[in-house]
Amino acid sequence: MTSRVTFVSPATSPSLRQARFYDGDSIDDIGAARAREAAGSLPVAARVVVSPSVRCRETAAALGLDGVETRELGGLDVGRWRGRTLEAVAAAEPEAVARWLTDPGSAPHGGESIEVLCGRVARWLEEATAVDGRVLAVVEPEVVRAAVTEALDIPAAVFWRLDVSPLTVTELSGKAGRWNLRLGRPLAVPDID
């Protein structure tokens, strides 16, 4: 049986536009409108899951999806950096940010490391292969990065080199532990930032 997992990244939110570590804000009006425009453009799924963040739940709702909130697909826990801009954190803690961006096992913010996130997403991805039919997941961009890193069996150090734009689709398909990747397809909306 071929497994198919379709990841959808959330619509834009103020934290995303401000390069601020996600702090639970809602999607903005532009993001909500674009998601509503894209409703119906996704493939039919046997199972729909959603990261527990506000912006992923709101994106799923705007897309017309009724998904099950899945904690394993939650965004990266950035601990005490939550709500701060990367620029502000880098100015206050340059060594910590440098370590965090170069060492996937590092978590100077007191949250979880990239390695921990990748492991969590890998376990979920393995469970998703048991679903008969497509799984559709509205998840944080870092969850998409982790899934791609794990599916392609590439080093976690590559994580930060994968860009995930708002309201884009990344698809994994495969069987017997071998995944193929189709990434970055925009939903049926024009001019995604």
Side-chain angles (χ1 to χ4, degrees), residues 13 26-27 35-37 39 45 60 63 66 90 93 98 114 116 122 132 151 157 171:
S13 67
S26 292
I27 58 176
R36 284 190 302 273
E37 289 171 13
L63 288 167
D66 184 22
E93 304 176 54
I114 299 304
V116 169
D132 187 17
E171 297 171 305

Side-chain angles (χ1 to χ4, degrees), residues 53-130:
S53 68
V54 171
R55 68 181 173 193
C56 285
R57 291 192 319 265
E58 289 177 350
T59 298
L63 288 167
L65 302 172
D66 184 22
V68 175
E69 196 171 299
T70 305
R71 294 187 56 80
E72 293 85 7
L73 294 179
L76 179 68
D77 176 1
V78 293
R80 60 189 166 76
W81 292 354
R82 181 181 162 114
R84 297 172 66 192
T85 65
L86 180 58
E87 182 180 21
V89 173
E93 304 176 54
E95 297 85 15
V97 170
R99 188 172 62 251
W100 182 62
L101 292 173
T102 57
D103 176 3
S106 176
H109 43 61
E112 67 185 333
S113 69
I114 299 304
E115 286 179 349
V116 169
L117 171 68
C118 288
R120 175 166 49 90
V121 172
R123 288 186 296 278
W124 178 86
L125 197 54
E126 182 62 32
E127 292 171 11
T129 62

Side-chain angles (χ1 to χ4, degrees), residues 162-183:
L162 303 173
D163 289 332
V164 180
S165 296
L167 284 180
T168 55
V169 174
T170 302
E171 297 171 305
L172 296 175
S173 63
K175 55 185 169 183
R178 184 183 180 277
W179 293 97
N180 294 314
L181 171 66
R182 181 176 179 195
L183 67 143

Side-chain angles (χ1 to χ4, degrees), residues 147-155:
V148 169
T149 300
E150 291 301 313
L152 298 182
D153 195 26
I154 55 180

